[in-house]
Amino acid sequence: MAKITKIQAQKRKGRFNIYLDGKYAFPVAENTLIEFRLMKDVELTDNQVKEIQDRENVNKAYGDAVNYLSYQLRTEKEIKEYLYKKEYHKDAVEITLQRLRDLHYLDDDNYAQSFINTQLRMSANGPKIIEQKLVKKGVPNNIIQDKLSGIDRDILLENAIEFAQKQVRKQKRASFQQMLTKLRQSLYQKGFDGEITSEAIKKLDLQVDEDEELEKLRNMITKVQHRYDKPAKLINYLMTKGYHYDEIKKVLDADN
């Protein structure tokens, strides 16, 4: 048996240091103090001390988890990794997770829906990128697929068109064909599937300006011609940039 000889308030509000037989033993929160009716001269067995310390560990883990959740919604995986990183015991982590579930502070289903809504509203990410982010956050696959299947297709198309318009403006110096290729690649990289990508590009109703295309080609030739000792190499390079052979020959012949 060990006797509580002193209970000292810490500088942190609601925290106390417990002294047993004249020596510092462990800290507790106010609710632990009340729950176990800890006061001076109370005697504790080794098992009681362990029970108090275990409960204090759980309460502390819970407090840290709630504080972590206060900044933004989290998945179960994120909370679990956070608590393990802070070196809480497995039992304390599992009890904390269950308490958070019971209070609906943890709900991967709601988290996934909220995350998707935010992504659609605040970013240009398509379903595949959103899926990758949710997988990384530890949301179960069945929840991910269920929530992704409920995305409004019109919203996806609207987001894809808006993103595509910005990409077109960035490709002003590229040939029309190269611009289309990069535009399609950009939409794929943003997580949009082939159907949405094709429809978004179609909605833009992009038209090639022949005069502008020839001017871009002339500028390109002027810029890179000195790099190539043979016309065939220059022609091959220009074709990789989306220009047609006949157009290239026409401009080169006109300059000679």
Side-chain angles (χ1 to χ4, degrees):
M1 299 286 283
K3 181 185 290 187
I4 297 177
T5 52
K6 182 179 179 181
I7 299 176
Q8 181 184 55
Q10 295 183 1
K11 291 183 179 179
R12 286 177 58 191
K13 186 177 181 180
R15 300 289 299 174
F16 299 86
N17 293 328
I18 303 298
Y19 289 76
L20 297 178
D21 297 332
K23 296 180 180 180
Y24 170 75
F26 50 83
V28 296
E30 185 174 12
N31 57 345
T32 305
L33 197 73
I34 296 171
E35 180 182 354
F36 288 89
R37 299 179 180 179
L38 302 179
M39 60 187 70
K40 189 176 179 181
D41 295 331
V42 168
E43 293 187 337
L44 302 172
T45 64
D46 289 344
N47 285 338
Q48 286 175 317
V49 170
K50 185 179 185 306
E51 184 182 359
I52 291 168
Q53 290 177 318
D54 287 345
R55 180 61 57 84
E56 177 61 19
N57 197 42
V58 169
N59 289 339
K60 193 170 184 299
Y62 176 76
D64 281 345
V66 170
N67 182 62
Y68 189 51
L69 279 166
S70 68
Y71 298 102
Q72 65 182 64
L73 292 176
R74 310 282 183 180
T75 64
E76 287 201 19
K77 179 186 177 184
E78 288 176 316
I79 292 292
K80 184 180 291 187
E81 289 178 345
Y82 174 75
L83 293 175
Y84 278 134
K85 189 176 181 180
K86 293 181 77 68
E87 300 184 351
Y88 284 109
H89 189 272
K90 180 180 178 181
D91 290 342
V93 172
E94 291 302 324
I95 291 172
T96 296
L97 290 175
Q98 188 57 54
R99 188 185 295 182
L100 292 172
R101 292 187 201 106
D102 293 342
L103 293 170
H104 303 293
Y105 289 167
L106 270 187
D107 187 330
D108 282 350
D109 191 280
N110 287 338
Y111 178 91
Q113 188 62 64
S114 176
F115 184 85
I116 290 172
N117 292 343
T118 300
Q119 286 285 299
L120 294 176
R121 187 174 67 254
M122 304 297 291
S123 79
N125 292 329
K128 292 182 180 178
I129 295 297
I130 295 174
E131 178 179 6
Q132 290 172 11
K133 288 178 177 292
L134 287 171
V135 168
K136 188 175 181 180
K137 288 177 176 293
V139 177
N141 186 62
N142 63 311
I143 292 178
I144 295 174
Q145 300 309 320
D146 177 60
K147 298 304 179 183
L148 288 177
S149 67
I151 295 178
D152 189 324
R153 190 177 184 282
D154 289 340
I155 293 177
L156 282 181
L157 181 58
E158 182 181 338
N159 287 354
I161 292 172
E162 183 178 349
F163 174 74
Q165 290 171 332
K166 293 178 181 178
Q167 296 307 302
V168 169
R169 290 194 289 270
K170 291 180 180 180
Q171 299 295 330
K172 287 184 177 180
R173 295 184 180 181
S175 68
F176 185 77
Q177 189 57 50
Q178 187 180 41
M179 181 270 292
L180 287 178
T181 298
K182 289 188 174 182
L183 180 56
R184 188 171 292 276
Q185 289 175 344
S186 295
L187 285 164
Y188 283 147
Q189 290 170 356
K190 269 296 181 181
F192 295 100
D193 63 24
E195 185 178 344
I196 288 290
T197 293
S198 296
E199 190 169 348
I201 294 175
K202 183 179 179 180
K203 290 286 186 180
L204 294 182
D205 193 27
L206 300 169
Q207 301 293 329
V208 61
D209 184 321
E210 299 293 348
D211 292 336
E212 184 179 325
E213 196 77 352
L214 284 175
E215 185 61 26
K216 289 179 182 179
L217 176 55
R218 293 190 188 97
N219 291 337
M220 177 68 73
I221 291 173
T222 300
K223 182 178 179 180
V224 305
Q225 193 168 22
H226 67 281
R227 303 178 191 171
Y228 301 94
D229 55 356
K230 295 181 179 180
K233 292 182 179 179
L234 174 60
I235 291 172
N236 184 65
Y237 172 80
L238 293 170
M239 288 179 68
T240 66
K241 294 299 181 180
Y243 294 104
H244 297 296
Y245 177 82
D246 292 342
E247 294 172 342
I248 298 169
K249 283 289 292 178
K250 179 180 177 180
V251 173
L252 289 177
D253 292 344
D255 291 343
N256 292 331

